[in-house]
Each structure stands twice: as C-alpha cells, then as structure tokens.
Amino acid sequence: MVKKRISKNEVKIKMDEFFSGIGNKSSNEVKKIKKLVMSANIPLKEKRKLFCKKCLKPYKNPKIRIKRGMKVIICPSCGFMSHWKLRKLNGD
Ligand SMILES: [Zn+2]
C-alpha cells in the first residue's frame, strides 16, 4: 500500500468539510479525522465542541446547561459532561 502524503492545507479542507456535515458522521469517522488533523498539527479549536470527548459521537441534540460562567454539554449517547468556559463576545 502506498501511503499518500497530504499537505496541511489539504487536511484543513478535509477537516472543514467533515465538520460542516458532522451530524451524519459516526464516532469512528470522528476518530479518524481527529487523528489526521492532529498528525498535521492543526488545532481543532472550536470544532472540539462538536463531538463528545469521550465516545467521539457528534452531538446532535445535546443537553446544554449554563452554570457559573461555564457551558455544560451532556452527551446524549454516553452521558459524559463537557465543560466549556463561556467567552465574552469581545474577548480573544
Ligand atoms: Zn459521549
């Protein structure tokens, strides 16, 4: 098997395509793209919030709670809770 080298830019395009339609993806596909993106040293940033950190399933209708300046997302599949700091609009 020939291993095809793909450029960082190509990975970025793939990543954007993938995440724009993440609702139909499986956890296995998330795992694959995550590996690819990480191997190219590209930060996932906000895209990390689109899938569960634990079971890697894309969030479809997650329960979201706001608690003390933190956004809590509860995975509908495994129940894992992700905490995200709420950012000010002008911050960063
Ligand atoms: Zn989960």
Side-chain angles (χ1 to χ4, degrees), residues 5 11-12 24 32 34 37-38 43 58 63 67 76 83 86 88 90:
R5 277 184 68 111
V11 174
K12 265 188 187 163
N24 315 308
K32 265 193 216 162
K34 203 179 152 201
V37 168
M38 280 166 74
K63 289 175 191 158
K67 222 174 157 186
H83 297 80
L86 285 177
K88 287 170 202 144
N90 296 327

Side-chain angles (χ1 to χ4, degrees), residues 40-55:
N41 275 320
I42 298 168
L44 278 167
K45 285 186 188 166
E46 298 294 302
K47 294 185 171 61
R48 281 184 304 147
K49 300 179 186 177
L50 298 174
F51 58 88
C52 174
K53 207 159 80 178
K54 199 166 187 190
C55 68

Side-chain angles (χ1 to χ4, degrees), residues 51-59 74-82:
F51 58 88
C52 174
K53 207 159 80 178
K54 199 166 187 190
C55 68
L56 299 175
K57 276 230 172 104
Y59 290 135
I74 303 160
C75 174
S77 314
C78 73
F80 182 78
M81 286 194 271
S82 304

